[in-house]
Amino acid sequence: MPNGFRKKYGISAVVVQNAPRRLDFSGEIPENDPKILLYQGAINPFRGIDKVILAMHHMDHVKLKIAGDGPRKKNTKN
């Protein structure tokens, strides 16, 4: 997937997978300006997307992109 982003958008990407237990992350995150935070999943009240949106107010030079569907999709805007 990261190579597809490089070819299509000309940016470096890192895949950070969800995991049920703690993992040591030693991958290098490339410098992109602005950084893109991708939320991919169900857009419903129990997934925490509202907290992600609120956290964006504290992040400089980061764009949030939302990919998914659900009952709260109409309340979110990319």
Side-chain angles (χ1 to χ4, degrees):
M1 186 166 84
N3 290 336
F5 277 95
R6 183 183 312 277
K7 288 178 186 175
K8 188 169 183 174
Y9 302 108
I11 62 170
S12 299
V14 173
V15 175
V16 179
Q17 298 178 346
N18 294 336
R21 62 185 190 288
R22 182 181 169 154
L23 299 174
D24 291 328
F25 179 74
S26 60
E28 184 177 322
I29 298 175
E31 287 298 319
N32 290 319
D33 190 22
K35 292 191 181 313
I36 298 171
L37 177 61
L38 173 64
Y39 173 88
Q40 181 180 359
I43 304 171
N44 65 42
F46 307 106
R47 298 294 294 229
I49 187 66
D50 55 333
K51 292 173 181 66
V52 173
I53 293 169
L54 289 172
M56 293 303 296
H57 296 286
H58 303 283
M59 301 177 75
D60 295 326
H61 309 290
V62 178
K63 287 186 176 184
L64 173 63
K65 295 294 183 178
I66 300 171
D69 201 0
R72 293 278 173 99
K73 182 173 183 174
K74 65 182 177 188
N75 298 343
T76 60
K77 185 165 86 170
N78 261 334

